């Protein structure tokens, strides 16, 4: 599509992005959580869910633990169990990282793991504000455990490994079937009758070629 150009704007929160679509100053708003479909419809807009991505607890490539139970996740972040050998791994300290509570990945985890809600993290837990900072911390820190998404696992080149949760792996099949429940949605909000170029982009995203790009980046 050599005649198509896409400009990416930054600096707007999700509610401001959606308002900008309604005002006609942008064509598409990206969102992933807390979208009220009824409110969107009342504003003459449409929320197009184009993918779902697993939110996961992941480890540095040299950690040999492959899965945790929900209660074990809480044991780690509270500081009650600070070593990998307590979970069947090679002896070594766990270095845990977490996202801010108001961030989407953390909201998904807190909604799904009851014992994390209101938990006082151990003093050795480091909060990473940005998703890319979290991924780099997991990839570069020996013994690391962190909250991230399958997108970053796919893009890490094997430096980050995803953990199963309660013996359910975050595979595309388990995300699609609902067996793996920690997921975030990828939503594009547009006007109900979008411009032709936007409609063409949405059609491409939903095509076989578009699905291949989603899958290559850890989505379903």
């Amino acid at each position: 599509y050599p005649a198509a150009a896409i400009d990416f704007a930054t600096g707007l929160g999700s509610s401001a992005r959606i308002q900008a679509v309604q005002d006609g100053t942008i064509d598409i708003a990206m969102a992933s959580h807390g979208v009220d479909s009824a409110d969107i419809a009342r504003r003459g807009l449409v929320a197009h869910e184009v993918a779902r991505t697993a939110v996961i607890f992941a480890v540095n490539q040299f950690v040999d633990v492959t899965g945790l139970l929900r209660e074990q996740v809480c044991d780690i972040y509270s500081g009650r169990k600070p070593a990998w050998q307590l979970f069947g791994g090679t002896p070594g300290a766990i270095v845990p990282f977490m996202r801010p509570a108001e961030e989407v990945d953390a909201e998904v985890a807190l909604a799904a793991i009851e014992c994390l809600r209101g938990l006082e993290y151990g003093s050795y837990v480091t909060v990473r504000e940005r998703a890319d900072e979290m991924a780099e911390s997991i990839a570069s820190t020996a013994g690391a455990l962190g909250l991230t998404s399958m997108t970053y696992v796919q893009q890490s080149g094997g430096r980050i490994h995803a953990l199963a949760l309660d013996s359910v792996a975050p595979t595309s099949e388990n995300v699609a079937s609902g067996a793996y429940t920690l997921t975030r949605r990828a939503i594009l909000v547009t006007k109900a009758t979008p411009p032709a170029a936007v409609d063409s982009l949405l059609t491409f995203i939903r095509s076989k070629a578009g699905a291949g790009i989603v899958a290559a980046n850890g989505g379903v």
Side-chain angles (χ1 to χ4, degrees):
Y1 301 89
I6 301 177
D7 294 326
F8 286 92
T10 60
L12 296 178
S14 17
S15 60
R17 290 197 296 271
I18 291 170
Q19 184 62 50
V21 173
Q22 185 175 359
D23 294 341
T25 54
I26 65 174
D27 293 310
I28 301 172
M30 295 182 179
S32 63
H33 199 64
V35 173
D36 183 337
S37 296
D39 176 63
I40 291 291
R42 282 193 297 269
R43 297 164 72 171
L45 307 175
V46 176
H48 310 268
E49 183 175 348
V50 296
R52 291 195 181 185
T53 306
V55 173
I56 57 171
F57 289 93
V59 294
N60 180 273
Q61 63 180 315
F62 298 113
V63 173
D64 55 1
V65 170
T66 59
L68 293 169
L69 303 177
R70 282 170 164 78
E71 294 78 9
Q72 292 175 327
V73 169
C74 296
D75 285 340
I76 292 171
Y77 280 94
S78 68
R80 291 189 293 267
K81 294 185 177 180
W84 284 116
Q85 61 265 34
L86 300 173
F87 304 98
T90 299
I94 301 173
V95 184
F97 296 91
M98 181 52 80
R99 298 298 308 284
E102 66 277 6
E103 194 279 327
V104 175
D105 288 346
E107 288 181 356
V108 170
L110 290 170
I113 304 177
E114 185 175 356
C115 58
L116 275 180
R117 299 172 213 156
L119 182 71
E120 290 191 14
Y121 296 148
S123 59
Y124 67 160
V125 177
T126 301
V127 175
R128 287 287 181 251
E129 296 289 333
R130 291 172 30 181
D132 57 343
E133 293 174 341
M134 171 64 83
E136 181 55 33
S137 294
I138 299 170
S140 62
T141 306
L145 169 72
L147 184 66
T148 185
S149 71
M150 280 302 293
T151 298
Y152 283 99
V153 172
Q154 291 285 86
Q155 295 173 353
S156 74
R159 299 170 68 207
I160 300 174
H161 292 171
L163 296 182
L165 186 66
D166 287 347
S167 301
V168 180
T171 62
S172 58
E173 293 80 11
N174 286 338
V175 169
S177 71
Y180 187 85
T181 58
L182 274 69
T183 59
R184 60 184 295 171
R185 299 187 296 164
I187 298 168
L188 302 179
V189 179
T190 71
K191 288 191 173 181
T193 305
V198 174
D199 192 55
S200 178
L201 176 62
L202 291 171
T203 299
F204 172 76
I205 290 170
R206 290 175 169 144
S207 70
K208 184 176 180 180
I213 294 170
V214 170
N217 286 279
V220 175

